[in-house]
Amino acid sequence: MKGVFSAPGDYIHFKSQVPLHKIPIGTKQWRYYDFGPKAVPPLICLPGIAGTADVYYKQIMSLSTKGYRVISVDIPRVWNHHEWIQAFEKFLDVIDVHHIHLYGTSLGGFLAQLFAQHRPRRVRSLILSNTFLETRSFASAMPWAPVVSWTPSFLLKRYVLTGIRDGPHEPFIADSVDFVVSQVETLSRDDLASRLTLNVDAASVGSLLLSDSCITIMDTNDYCAIPQQLKDQLSDRYPEARCAHLKSGGDFPFLSRSDEVNLHLQLHLRRVGLEAQPDMVRGIPKDGAGGSHGEEKDGKEDPDDEPKDEEGSSEGQSKENQLCPAPESSESHTSHDQPLSNAQLCLIAPGDTIHLWFLRKQHVIAIEIFLQYTLEIFLRLASLSREVDVHHFIFWAKTQVNGVK
């Protein structure tokens, strides 16, 4: 799959302008983007299981030009919800952020609610999209959860991808699926295992001190991986919250319907009293220097700072460089208040656009034979030290294999 997906032109430009930060805090490695005026309390974006900090690049591009500060983070490798709350609080302390507004989708929305419940003084407002209040239904649908940390990476990726609706989509939704699938391919086994563990670990959101008037619920009306029953429970819990319904958008409206999502985010932030600082907006200079909080780059090339499709042939790279020239980015501690300039859209050749839903099927077929021979061996070994319903899991796994044919 690598070397085939063509990254969107605005994403390539984003990567060339906005620095990616990586900082260790205790035993956790945090990977995040931080852009916009530092004097403004930030909007922090939390992705779902299949997401990374990169999936909110359209929100960073749009809101930072209007004077808002946006931080997009990867969920670190934590294995229970208490560990998540402690780790996220330490992260905020290290980047010197005290009061925050949280935007969470799917698992990210659930984690945002937990943090608001246990650290109410730090959370000023919530934007929740396609999310839920409790994990019980996900735990019952994943009987092999006790051995998730032993499961090979390709099986975990396959399980995550089966949760994304397959089949023909509208072009903008298909593009969002392709982009998220490309991000799943960058996640390690431990990253996926920890996120799946958080998704099934027994927990529920209790009462919040935050007023319903400081909460916006943003859902899509067409379809998403979160059952409608769970979304209805969320609406019932916050009856006075503002509801923003998107006619369509699928699982990833922040990519497929970014203009509408960004508008609702701005309306929410204004409604809760967060004032943007448009007077602090300055264009990015020609040398590409951008500003945000974080460690200064050491001059080494970071593979995560490059577009995901640069692993293709040198011919493909030169073609993209011709289509999308962008200045090299550099980071400076003295330029915190320089948000992203107007994104330059780059044209991708039509022949390069290949829907990854079809490629995923090819990928699955390629490993199907290997799955047949290794699955039972792996489960039998795992059952020696963990109590798990092996036959139940074998039946589930074979159903998944047959389901993609």
Side-chain angles (χ1 to χ4, degrees):
M1 296 174 66
K2 294 182 179 180
V4 177
F5 172 70
S6 293
D10 56 348
Y11 174 66
I12 295 174
H13 182 72
F14 164 79
K15 292 288 283 184
S16 72
Q17 302 296 336
V18 182
L20 172 68
H21 305 293
K22 292 181 179 180
I23 57 172
I25 303 177
T27 60
K28 306 292 182 291
Q29 181 79 14
W30 286 85
R31 179 181 178 276
Y32 68 101
Y33 296 99
D34 180 354
F35 219 72
K38 196 180 177 186
V40 179
L43 171 69
I44 301 185
C45 305
L46 302 176
I49 294 176
T52 65
D54 298 66
V55 300
Y56 294 110
Y57 78 93
K58 291 179 180 287
Q59 284 64 56
I60 298 174
M61 291 169 62
S62 174
L63 297 179
S64 64
T65 62
K66 295 174 174 61
Y68 293 101
R69 181 183 180 187
V70 184
I71 300 176
S72 179
V73 304
D74 271 7
I75 298 175
R77 295 175 190 172
V78 293
W79 300 91
N80 59 66
H81 300 110
H82 177 73
E83 189 180 4
W84 152 252
I85 295 167
Q86 298 290 335
F88 190 51
E89 185 171 37
K90 290 180 181 178
F91 169 71
L92 297 179
D93 291 339
V94 168
I95 65 174
D96 196 25
V97 169
H98 302 287
H99 300 134
I100 60 175
H101 303 264
L102 289 174
Y103 169 39
T105 59
S106 189
L107 175 62
F110 178 69
L111 297 178
Q113 293 175 84
L114 286 179
F115 190 78
Q117 175 188 346
H118 294 279
R119 298 294 185 270
R121 294 183 179 181
R122 305 196 79 152
V123 180
R124 289 291 182 257
S125 71
L126 291 173
I127 306 104
L128 307 173
S129 180
N130 292 340
T131 189
F132 48 90
L133 289 171
E134 50 86 21
T135 61
R136 181 175 51 191
S137 60
F138 299 107
S140 62
M142 190 174 167
W144 51 281
V147 296
V148 67
S149 60
W150 291 21
T151 309
S153 176
F154 68 88
L155 281 177
L156 295 178
K157 289 180 180 179
R158 180 177 178 181
Y159 179 77
V160 170
L161 292 178
T162 57
I164 301 176
R165 178 171 174 172
D166 207 348
H169 297 292
E170 297 177 63
F172 58 88
I173 296 180
D175 290 342
S176 71
V177 171
D178 289 355
F179 186 85
V180 171
V181 170
S182 73
Q183 295 299 306
V184 172
E185 291 298 323
T186 69
L187 297 175
S188 69
R189 183 183 68 119
D190 288 340
D191 290 331
L192 291 167
S194 66
R195 296 179 187 195
L196 288 169
T197 299
L198 290 175
N199 207 55
V200 300
D201 189 30
S204 61
V205 178
S207 60
L208 304 185
L209 295 181
L210 194 66
S211 169
D212 285 4
S213 62
C214 296
I215 300 174
T216 293
I217 300 174
M218 189 189 320
D219 286 336
T220 53
N221 287 337
D222 49 358
Y223 58 84
C224 77
I226 305 301
Q228 186 61 43
Q229 179 183 359
L230 298 185
K231 295 199 291 184
D232 291 341
Q233 290 177 3
L234 187 78
S235 300
D236 293 341
R237 172 66 67 88
Y238 310 117
E240 302 300 321
R242 176 178 177 270
C243 294
H245 294 290
L246 306 180
K247 183 177 180 180
S248 62
D251 287 299
F252 316 113
F254 44 86
L255 289 168
S256 60
R257 291 291 190 187
S258 59
D259 289 342
E260 295 179 50
V261 169
N262 294 340
L263 178 60
H264 286 302
L265 292 177
Q266 290 179 67
L267 292 174
H268 169 88
L269 295 175
R270 291 174 186 172
R271 189 165 59 92
V272 298
L274 179 61
E275 295 294 334
Q277 299 290 338
D279 56 315
M280 302 179 70
V281 174
R282 294 199 305 269
I284 296 176
K286 291 182 180 179
D287 62 357
S292 61
H293 179 90
E295 299 297 326
E296 191 168 345
K297 290 187 178 181
D298 56 6
K300 296 181 179 180
E301 289 293 332
D302 188 342
D304 285 333
D305 287 342
E306 301 173 355
K308 297 294 186 296
D309 62 332
E310 289 189 1
E311 295 180 19
S313 64
S314 58
E315 180 182 353
Q317 294 177 7
S318 62
K319 182 178 179 180
E320 285 185 6
N321 291 336
Q322 293 172 1
L323 292 171
C324 183
E328 294 293 328
S329 63
S330 60
E331 182 183 358
S332 170
H333 287 286
T334 62
S335 57
H336 291 296
D337 301 329
Q338 293 175 309
L340 187 66
S341 66
N342 291 335
Q344 299 173 354
L345 295 180
C346 304
L347 299 177
I348 301 298
D352 292 338
T353 305
I354 300 176
H355 295 311
L356 289 185
W357 67 269
F358 176 74
L359 296 179
R360 289 204 305 273
K361 284 189 177 293
Q362 290 184 323
H363 181 69
V364 168
I365 293 173
I367 66 172
E368 183 176 346
I369 297 176
F370 181 73
L371 282 173
Q372 296 287 355
Y373 285 100
T374 60
L375 192 56
E376 282 200 41
I377 296 175
F378 165 72
L379 290 172
R380 290 183 184 278
L381 290 175
S383 65
L384 293 177
S385 52
R386 300 260 185 128
E387 292 186 4
V388 61
D389 189 348
V390 177
H391 296 294
H392 191 175
F393 184 28
I394 291 175
F395 174 77
W396 173 85
K398 287 184 177 179
T399 302
Q400 296 298 316
V401 170
N402 295 330
V404 299
K405 292 182 178 180

